[in-house]
Amino acid sequence: MQERISSRPLPEIHLVDMSREPKPWERAREGDEAASAPGAGGATIFSRALEEALAERLDRGEQSLLFLNRRGFSPALTCRNCGHAEECANCSVAMTYHRLEGHLRCHYCGAVRQPPESCAECGSTHLRYQGLGTQRVETALTERFPQAHVLRMDSDSTRKRGSH
């Protein structure tokens, strides 16, 4: 946008280098309750600054909106052994894992299939779901802030008329 409505100022933006954020096991050593929450896993999803801001708003009875342009739970299923990513047979793009439905889905052509138990390239069973999708963020928010009413709004959850 070249101009903002009524010449309003641009919003304040804070960039966070997530590679510098402590991992859950490091937070646990520091006594951070969030690190020992269910599903804290190996990756840090929220920065400390974001968690603190969300907690402050919850304490004040306010709402927060998080924006993420990735549907599903995880945008890629990759092999830890060889790096192969599960791709759509029709489109040759990485298939997205949808945990609620328990399947991989192509967001281009709509193809659906079950996740494999082993890598199609090397046969390894060491597969991992990589990246963040809206389902994963919703799950993490619910675990981190059980007192909050969390609502996910994406094209998967708002397919039916009036569901938004």
Side-chain angles (χ1 to χ4, degrees):
M1 286 196 295
Q2 296 299 318
E3 294 180 31
R4 300 222 352 133
I5 197 162
S6 302
S7 299
R8 292 184 181 167
L10 291 171
E12 194 175 319
I13 296 174
H14 301 274
L15 294 178
V16 176
D17 182 352
M18 292 300 288
S19 68
R20 296 176 154 254
E21 286 290 307
K23 304 298 180 240
W25 57 87
E26 295 167 336
R27 287 185 180 189
R29 273 188 247 132
E30 296 170 8
D32 186 339
E33 297 174 15
S36 59
T44 300
I45 294 178
F46 308 117
S47 68
R48 285 186 173 185
L50 178 57
E51 283 189 8
E52 289 169 9
L54 290 170
E56 285 176 21
R57 287 188 175 51
L58 278 171
D59 289 345
R60 292 194 306 247
E62 297 175 352
Q63 296 180 349
S64 298
L65 296 173
L66 301 182
F67 294 93
L68 179 65
N69 63 342
R70 296 260 187 242
R71 292 169 36 210
F73 186 81
S74 181
L77 174 61
T78 59
C79 175
R80 289 183 181 190
N81 190 44
C82 72
H84 171 75
E86 282 299 312
E87 294 182 345
C88 175
N90 304 322
C91 305
S92 297
V93 297
M95 295 192 77
T96 299
Y97 178 61
H98 287 254
R99 187 166 98 173
L100 298 176
E101 297 85 358
H103 62 236
L104 296 172
R105 178 183 296 153
C106 175
H107 286 173
Y108 286 87
C109 72
V112 173
R113 73 171 192 246
Q114 291 300 308
E117 293 186 19
S118 61
C119 176
E121 290 291 314
C122 71
S124 171
T125 57
H126 299 289
L127 304 176
R128 74 173 161 195
Y129 295 102
Q130 250 183 321
L132 294 175
T134 54
Q135 289 178 349
R136 187 168 177 196
V137 170
E138 176 188 32
T139 299
L141 279 171
T142 301
E143 290 173 350
R144 175 61 183 97
F145 300 103
Q147 75 279 22
H149 174 72
V150 177
L151 179 66
R152 176 174 50 93
M153 189 173 181
D154 58 23
S155 59
D156 295 322
S157 64
T158 59
R159 286 201 188 281
K160 295 179 184 167
R161 184 179 177 144
S163 61
H164 65 285

